[in-house]
Amino acid sequence: MKPLYQCNLSRLIKAQKHLRQNLLLSLGLILGLGLFACSSSAADKASNNSSDIERGAYLMKIGDCVACHTAVGGRELTGGLPFETPFGAVFSTNITSDKDTGIGKYSYDEFFDAMHHGVGINGNLYPAMPYTSYSLLTDEDTKAIYAYLMSTKPIKQANLDNDVSFPFNVRFGLKAWNLIAHDAEKFAPKKDKSEPWNRGNYLVNALGHCGECHTPRDSLFAMEQDKHFQGAVIEGLEASDITPAELNRQNWTHDDLKSLFTEGYSRKGTVFGGMYPVVYHSFSHLTDADMHAVSSYLLDTDETVEAKPLTFNGHQRELPGYNLYMGYCAGCHGQNGEGRPNVAPAMAGNATLDKASPHNIVAVMLKGIKSQHYNTTTSFYAMPGYADELSDEQLKDLSNYLRVTWSNQPGDVDLNTINDLKEVIFERD
C-alpha cells in the first residue's frame, strides 16, 4: 500500500473542491450532527431500574455522547457545539430529558429509530450522527442508554438553528442516502474469535464508532468498508490508520493502548485533536476488562505483545533539520527526544513520526496542540504553532530530521509534499 502522501494530494484537493459544488444536490446531503428534536408525541416511561440506568450511563460514556453534545463552556448534554462543514455550520442538540428542548418526549421506539435508522421525530438525521455505527447496538444496550438519558436532569436550553445552505438543508434526500449507503445490520460475533476480541469489536465499532473518523469515505460520504480503519483526514488532521497490521508494525502493546486510552499518553506518544475529548470523556472510563477487549480487537490478539526498544537512530548533526530541532523542539521534547513528563511527549518511538504520511507532523508544526488535562497527575502543556515562523524549506528539513532520527521512515519529504499538505491542513480555515 502506497504511503498516503504519495497519492497525489493535489488531485485529492481538486476532487474535494469539485465535490463541494456537485455532491448530492438532489439529495440535500450534508455532514452534520443528527438532531434529536422534540415533538408532541407521548413518551414511553423509561426504565426505573437503577442497574439499567447505571449501565446506560457507562454505555453512554463509551458512546462519547458528551463530547459532541456539549458546547465549550456549556452544560453537559445541552448541545450547541458547532461543526463546520463545506456546506455551512451544524450545531449539536440538547439530549437531556427536557420535554420542550431535549428528548424527553421521545418514546423508546422513536429513540431506537433515531439510533439505529437515523430517523428522528421530525425527520431524517444527518449521517454524522453516527447511527451508521450505532445501528450495531443491541436492543438491550439501546434500552439502557435510553433509560439513562431519560433519568438525566431536564435542562431547558433551546437548540441553535443550523446555518446550512440550500439544498443541503433539505433532509428528504437523506431517505435515498439511507437506502444507498446505510445497512442497519445487527452485530454478530465471529465464531472463530475469542470472547474478549468480540467484545472489543462491539465496543470499537458499535459504541465507540471509531470507524466514523478512521475509515475513508466515498463520494456519497459513506464509509468505505473495504478500507476499514485505514485512516482519513478530519478537520486538517489525519485520523490514523488503526488496522491491526499498522498497529503491530509500530509495536503497539496492550499496555500502550491502555495507557493511551486512560491518560492520553503512552510510550508511543500522545493523543491530540479530536482524540483528546474522546479519551477524556469516553475511553478513559472503560473497565479493565473492556479495555483489554478493545486492545485485543485492535491488535487482533489476546496474547501479550512484547515491547521492543524505542527507535532512536542518533543525531546526524550535518542535516539541516538538526539545528531546527535543537532550537525549536529540544527544550520540551529533550536533547535526545526523551520527552518531559507532563510537558511534552517523547520523540523516540513516537507513532506520529513513524506513520507513512508526514501529514500530522506538518499539521502539528503549523497549528500546534492545545493543552490537555486528564487528572491531577497527568497534563500536557500546549505546543505553539509555527506557521508564521517556519518556511516551507524549514518545515521540510525538520520533518525529515524527525523521521530519520526517531522512526523507520525515510527522509523523503519534499517541498511539493509540504505545499500539498498545507493546502489540505488549512482548507477550512
Side-chain angles (χ1 to χ4, degrees):
M1 179 175 167
K2 292 183 178 180
L4 296 177
Y5 73 96
Q6 292 180 352
C7 296
N8 201 332
L9 285 170
S10 61
R11 289 179 57 196
L12 174 62
I13 296 161
K14 292 177 181 178
Q16 288 176 332
K17 291 180 177 177
H18 179 73
L19 191 61
R20 287 186 179 186
Q21 298 170 359
N22 297 288
L23 176 65
L24 299 177
L25 294 177
S26 62
L27 299 182
L29 176 62
I30 178 177
L31 279 177
L33 280 180
L35 304 180
F36 286 114
C38 55
S39 88
S40 58
S41 64
D44 292 346
K45 287 186 177 180
S47 169
N48 291 321
N49 188 312
S50 59
S51 63
D52 285 345
I53 293 173
E54 183 178 355
R55 192 165 64 86
Y58 174 72
L59 295 171
M60 194 207 68
K61 284 187 174 71
I62 309 310
D64 204 29
C65 305
V66 171
C68 288
H69 286 275
T70 306
V72 176
R75 302 180 70 180
E76 195 167 285
L77 300 180
T78 59
L81 186 69
F83 290 80
E84 296 297 332
T85 78
F87 315 104
V90 177
F91 294 88
S92 64
T93 56
N94 187 337
I95 58 170
T96 70
S97 62
D98 182 66
K99 292 185 177 182
D100 295 321
T101 62
I103 62 171
K105 291 183 179 180
Y106 263 70
S107 68
Y108 172 69
D109 287 341
E110 290 164 340
F111 181 77
F112 183 93
D113 282 344
M115 292 286 285
H116 289 251
H117 304 296
V119 180
I121 289 175
N122 286 352
N124 285 77
L125 310 180
Y126 294 129
M129 186 277 179
Y131 62 86
T132 48
S133 294
Y134 288 161
S135 63
L136 294 169
L137 290 172
T138 64
D139 192 40
E140 182 182 24
D141 282 354
T142 308
K143 285 180 179 177
I145 293 170
Y146 176 76
Y148 171 75
L149 288 174
M150 291 304 164
S151 75
T152 60
K153 179 181 179 180
I155 300 174
K156 191 178 298 295
Q157 180 164 307
N159 295 307
L160 300 176
D161 292 332
N162 296 326
D163 183 19
V164 178
S165 60
F166 179 83
F168 304 108
N169 58 350
V170 179
R171 300 197 195 192
F172 182 77
L174 291 168
K175 295 184 181 297
W177 190 90
N178 280 343
L179 288 173
I180 297 170
H182 177 46
D183 180 11
E185 60 182 276
K186 293 184 178 180
F187 177 79
K190 293 185 180 295
K191 295 181 180 180
D192 62 337
K193 294 294 186 178
S194 68
E195 183 176 343
W197 188 97
N198 277 303
R199 174 63 175 171
N201 182 6
Y202 180 75
L203 291 169
V204 169
N205 286 301
L207 274 170
H209 57 277
C210 302
E212 301 285 343
C213 287
H214 289 273
T215 300
R217 293 182 179 270
D218 60 23
S219 59
L220 295 180
F221 283 121
M223 288 184 286
E224 297 185 66
Q225 295 301 340
D226 61 335
K227 297 180 180 178
H228 190 234
F229 285 171
Q230 289 183 14
V233 176
I234 306 291
E235 295 183 350
L237 292 173
E238 187 179 72
S240 299
D241 181 333
I242 56 171
T243 58
E246 177 64 8
L247 293 178
N248 283 294
R249 183 192 71 78
Q250 292 192 343
N251 189 223
W252 284 90
T253 68
H254 291 281
D255 287 342
D256 292 336
L257 291 174
K258 179 178 180 180
S259 180
L260 189 78
F261 291 146
T262 302
E263 299 183 336
Y265 174 74
S266 78
R267 71 188 185 102
K268 305 295 291 181
T270 62
V271 301
F272 52 89
M275 273 302 294
Y276 169 55
V278 171
V279 169
Y280 183 82
H281 292 292
S282 180
F283 271 27
S284 61
H285 298 280
L286 284 165
T287 64
D288 287 343
D290 279 350
M291 186 77 74
H292 182 71
V294 166
S295 62
S296 294
Y297 171 72
L298 290 174
L299 297 175
D300 197 24
T301 181
D302 298 341
E303 303 299 325
T304 299
V305 178
E306 181 183 356
K308 299 177 182 178
L310 298 177
T311 302
F312 175 42
N313 298 318
H315 289 298
Q316 300 181 51
R317 299 172 187 270
E318 71 277 8
L319 294 179
Y322 172 77
N323 288 331
L324 290 169
Y325 177 80
M326 290 300 172
Y328 283 95
C329 314
C332 291
H333 294 284
Q335 295 288 313
N336 293 321
E338 66 274 18
R340 293 175 60 190
N342 288 324
V343 175
M347 295 289 95
N350 194 292
T352 297
L353 305 185
D354 196 34
K355 293 172 62 173
S357 167
H359 186 120
N360 282 349
I361 299 176
V362 177
V364 167
M365 288 193 294
L366 290 171
K367 290 188 169 184
I369 301 176
K370 294 181 180 179
S371 62
Q372 299 177 10
H373 172 75
Y374 293 96
N375 50 54
T376 55
T377 60
T378 307
S379 297
F380 293 95
Y381 284 9
M383 172 183 164
Y386 297 104
D388 296 329
E389 294 186 43
L390 295 177
S391 67
D392 288 359
E393 184 75 21
Q394 290 173 315
L395 289 169
K396 172 183 71 69
D397 291 341
L398 184 51
S399 296
N400 284 328
Y401 191 78
L402 294 171
R403 283 159 66 88
V404 300
T405 305
W406 289 290
S407 84
N408 297 311
Q409 297 297 332
D412 59 356
V413 180
D414 57 26
L415 287 176
N416 288 333
T417 301
I418 295 295
N419 291 330
D420 287 343
L421 286 174
K422 286 176 73 173
E423 190 166 350
V424 174
I425 292 165
F426 291 115
E427 184 181 9
R428 292 183 183 174
D429 287 2

